[in-house]
Amino acid sequence: MVFHSATFVVFLIVAFAAFWALAGKRDARTALLLVASYVFYGAWEFWYLWLIVFSTLLDFTCGNRIHAAKSQGAKRAWLSVSLVGNLGVLGFFKYYDWGIEGLATLLSSLGLANNLHSLGILVPVGISFYTFQTLSYTLDIYRGQLKPARNLLDFGMFVAFFPQLVAGPIVRAAEFIPQMDLEPRLDRARFTDAIWRMGTGLVKKVVLADGLGAFLVDPVYEAPGSFGAWMHALALLGFTFQIYYDFSGYSDIAIGVGKLFGFDLPENFDGPFKSRSVSEFWRRWHMTLSFWVRDYVFFPLMGRTGIRSRVRIAFSVMTTMVVIGLWHGASLLWLLYGAVQGVVMAIEQVVTVARRRRRKASGGLALLQWALTFLFTVLVSSLCVRPRSFEQAWAMLSEFGSGGAVSIWGPVTLAVGVAIHFLPKATVEATRRGLTNLPLPLAGVLLGLVAGWVAYLVIGATPFIYFQF
């Protein structure tokens, strides 16, 4: 049930009407959203609902036990149960086949006979997202930063809330569960803001991301030898913006749908391609994941002591980025993606320390920093994320034809996507205010036109790229 489908529209209308009919009854509206969220996920993979139920029961129990434990040893024991249970399930479903295949290949290369076979496991949609979400709950309780949810119903809804269940943003219990106690409201300002976010998200996904994929990226990646070097360069750049508009579009829709039900979800993107360093890029791209690994991986690796040698910083950065790479997918390309990011960020840390003694970067240097960061981002994303193998990645750099052409809509969509991304925030905000303050009849007509345009342009109801993670 993808956001840009007629099935989801019907589902959303029914859930919305039922929710506001029960808005004055806290437990009833929470139960309704829990059931709706299970229906939403069950439409994807009914039998994998048990994994969400397992994670819910596991971390609700562990959270209560950690909070009630009298000794630090008991707290650590229950935290270990949570970590082993969650990471064990994630590891089996997402990494078992990859690990077995890699081990079989290694043994065969050493001349050792083996009978290792993968199981052909289907990775559950969104498992990386809700696993990190539930883990943050027990980790925060262990640290004394959070009290347990008041009951299983509240915690279950926190884990399964359908707008962000399968592709984020990754939500922390401390910022979500307290919102359940607030009386939901939906005034004109909140409603129009929700529609704005959902509308912009749909345009990002259906018009920009899917347009780039169909008219530029997919044709070149599937037959690189048929296209010249310039088309390869456009396709590499095109995929960088395709995945951005695909994922940020999903986040925008999720945030907008959340507002319809009285919840404020965290922002996930902040103009990432405006960054002047890879470190800054990760403070602007998939922000909820970046902050999650910062708080639960990077900071613990750095330790609480004031001693922070360059070696320790480099090790912590590298480990954190490898975790980010493998969180996305089980492949050597994703491992390389994280490792390369980590190397560059570790180098940046050393350069940043040295630069603190100097004056602020000049305009020319700032432009060079942006250009190098943008080039790095394009190459790493388009050569590690889009290709299905190292061979396909290498083909994008080496197999060139003398001709080949794509639809004019590919380069046009790319130009529009680039221009929109680099618009000043003030311009975007002025556009939002202008559209959301339109008289309701005119706003309704405009919304209908946009909905019709999006419905016409839906290209095979393609799933969001980040569903695979």
Side-chain angles (χ1 to χ4, degrees):
M1 192 191 300
V2 293
F3 283 161
H4 52 302
S5 67
T7 304
F8 179 76
V9 173
V10 173
F11 166 82
L12 181 60
I13 291 173
V14 172
F16 178 78
F19 175 83
W20 287 102
L22 300 172
K25 303 176 181 179
R26 186 193 185 284
D27 287 345
R29 67 175 185 257
T30 302
L32 171 77
L33 285 179
L34 178 61
V35 172
S37 298
Y38 282 172
V39 170
F40 175 81
Y41 191 84
W44 281 101
E45 296 168 339
F46 177 78
W47 294 109
Y48 279 165
L49 268 174
W50 73 268
L51 291 176
I52 296 179
V53 174
F54 170 78
S55 293
T56 300
L57 294 174
L58 173 68
D59 286 309
F60 181 74
T61 301
C62 290
N64 285 336
R65 295 291 185 176
I66 291 170
H67 184 71
K70 302 301 183 182
S71 67
Q72 195 63 26
K75 291 178 182 292
R76 281 196 296 269
W78 281 106
L79 177 63
S80 298
V81 172
S82 173
L83 291 170
V84 171
N86 283 289
L87 297 179
V89 169
L90 176 63
F92 175 75
F93 281 94
K94 192 162 186 174
Y95 304 104
Y96 177 83
D97 278 353
W98 178 55
I100 285 295
E101 290 170 1
L103 180 59
T105 300
L106 176 62
L107 292 176
S108 297
S109 66
L110 297 175
L112 299 175
N114 67 86
N115 194 31
L116 299 175
H117 301 286
S118 61
L119 301 178
I121 299 171
L122 176 65
V123 179
V125 172
I127 188 171
S128 296
F129 286 92
Y130 65 74
T131 298
F132 271 27
Q133 190 158 306
T134 58
L135 270 179
S136 70
Y137 173 78
T138 51
L139 286 165
D140 285 349
I141 293 176
Y142 175 79
R143 294 175 172 182
Q145 299 171 349
L146 179 70
K147 292 183 179 180
R150 74 184 188 114
N151 55 42
L152 183 59
L153 176 64
D154 282 7
F155 183 68
M157 213 281 275
F158 155 69
V159 175
F161 187 47
F162 73 88
Q164 49 76 229
L165 173 60
V166 297
I170 300 172
V171 181
R172 311 278 183 97
E175 60 191 3
F176 185 88
I177 292 179
Q179 295 186 60
M180 295 183 192
D181 293 324
L182 304 177
E183 190 73 23
R185 61 181 180 82
L186 191 65
D187 52 24
R188 176 193 164 101
R190 190 173 182 84
F191 180 76
T192 54
D193 192 34
I195 297 302
W196 164 261
R197 295 304 293 264
M198 294 166 62
T200 55
L202 282 171
V203 170
K204 283 181 177 181
K205 165 61 179 172
V206 175
V207 178
L208 297 173
D210 286 357
L212 285 169
F215 299 129
L216 176 60
V217 177
D218 293 347
V220 179
Y221 271 85
E222 295 305 320
S226 300
F227 298 91
W230 279 108
M231 290 307 304
H232 281 230
L234 281 180
L236 295 176
L237 180 62
F239 177 74
T240 303
F241 280 90
Q242 179 192 3
I243 193 171
Y244 164 70
Y245 282 119
D246 187 279
F247 192 19
S248 67
Y250 183 95
S251 295
D252 284 342
I253 298 171
I255 291 170
V257 173
K259 287 181 181 295
L260 290 180
F261 294 93
F263 290 91
D264 292 317
L265 302 179
E267 296 293 337
N268 219 15
F269 292 88
D270 183 22
F273 302 133
K274 300 175 184 178
S275 304
R276 291 194 292 148
S277 69
V278 178
S279 300
E280 182 185 357
F281 174 82
W282 281 102
R283 293 193 295 270
R284 291 170 172 262
W285 173 277
H286 202 345
M287 293 150 60
T288 55
L289 173 63
S290 298
F291 298 154
W292 196 100
V293 295
R294 177 198 65 187
D295 294 343
Y296 301 114
V297 180
F298 178 75
F299 285 162
L301 288 172
M302 289 297 293
R304 296 183 179 181
T305 64
I307 302 175
R308 295 186 174 183
S309 67
R310 292 181 179 179
V311 173
R312 185 165 191 169
I313 292 174
F315 171 78
S316 301
V317 169
M318 278 291 300
T319 303
T320 300
M321 295 313 298
V322 167
V323 168
I324 283 182
L326 291 178
W327 176 90
H328 282 87
S331 74
L332 290 177
L333 279 171
W334 276 117
L335 178 62
L336 178 64
Y337 175 83
V340 171
Q341 303 264 2
V343 169
V344 173
M345 289 176 67
I347 294 173
E348 286 180 352
Q349 291 291 326
V350 176
V351 173
T352 300
V353 171
R355 199 169 57 215
R356 285 173 184 167
R357 305 189 184 100
R358 306 173 185 174
R359 293 181 299 176
K360 186 178 180 180
S362 65
L365 179 57
L367 180 60
L368 177 61
Q369 291 171 337
W370 169 82
L372 290 175
T373 301
F374 184 65
L375 177 62
F376 173 82
T377 302
V378 169
L379 290 175
V380 172
S381 298
S382 56
L383 295 177
C384 290
V385 179
R386 176 57 175 80
R388 291 186 291 271
S389 65
F390 281 101
E391 289 76 17
Q392 189 179 32
W394 178 246
M396 287 298 296
L397 295 176
S398 62
E399 294 183 11
F400 305 113
S402 57
V406 297
S407 167
I408 187 61
W409 291 111
V412 168
T413 304
L414 177 59
V416 171
V418 172
I420 290 175
H421 180 270
F422 288 101
L423 283 174
K425 283 187 176 182
T427 302
V428 177
E429 179 58 21
T431 304
R432 185 196 69 80
R433 285 198 306 269
L435 291 175
T436 56
N437 289 329
L438 288 174
L440 284 178
L442 182 57
V445 171
L446 183 61
L447 179 62
L449 291 174
V450 171
W453 183 40
V454 168
Y456 174 75
L457 289 175
V458 167
I459 303 172
T462 55
F464 290 84
I465 295 173
Y466 262 65
F467 279 8
Q468 63 187 293
F469 308 139

